[in-house]
Amino acid sequence: MKWIRSFVMFWYDFVVGDDWRVAVGVAVALGATAALVHGAGLNAWWLPPVAVAVLLALSLRRAVAAAKR
């Protein structure tokens, strides 16, 4: 049973990492991309890179603000 917990915790740490907000943002961006492509028939290849850039900027902003405190 211990190896199952270790396996799950590895993947949680690998996917989520230090900031759960970024992981959720990427998941939302991928879901939105899928919805736009399959639901509306739009070409939404540009959405994930833009979302990652915005999420990175927000994550860095939070980290710098926390370091200043």
Side-chain angles (χ1 to χ4, degrees):
M1 239 10 209
K2 184 179 178 182
W3 67 273
I4 293 174
R5 184 177 191 286
S6 297
F7 182 77
V8 170
M9 290 308 295
F10 165 78
W11 281 107
Y12 176 82
D13 190 42
F14 182 75
V15 172
V16 174
D18 294 332
D19 194 355
W20 63 270
R21 293 173 198 94
V22 174
V24 169
V26 169
V28 168
L30 290 174
T33 302
L36 287 173
V37 169
H38 295 294
L42 296 175
N43 190 359
W45 63 267
W46 52 269
L47 184 58
V50 170
V52 167
V54 169
L55 290 167
L56 175 62
L58 292 173
S59 179
L60 287 173
R61 186 179 187 193
R62 278 192 303 271
V64 168
K68 287 185 179 180
R69 286 187 240 159

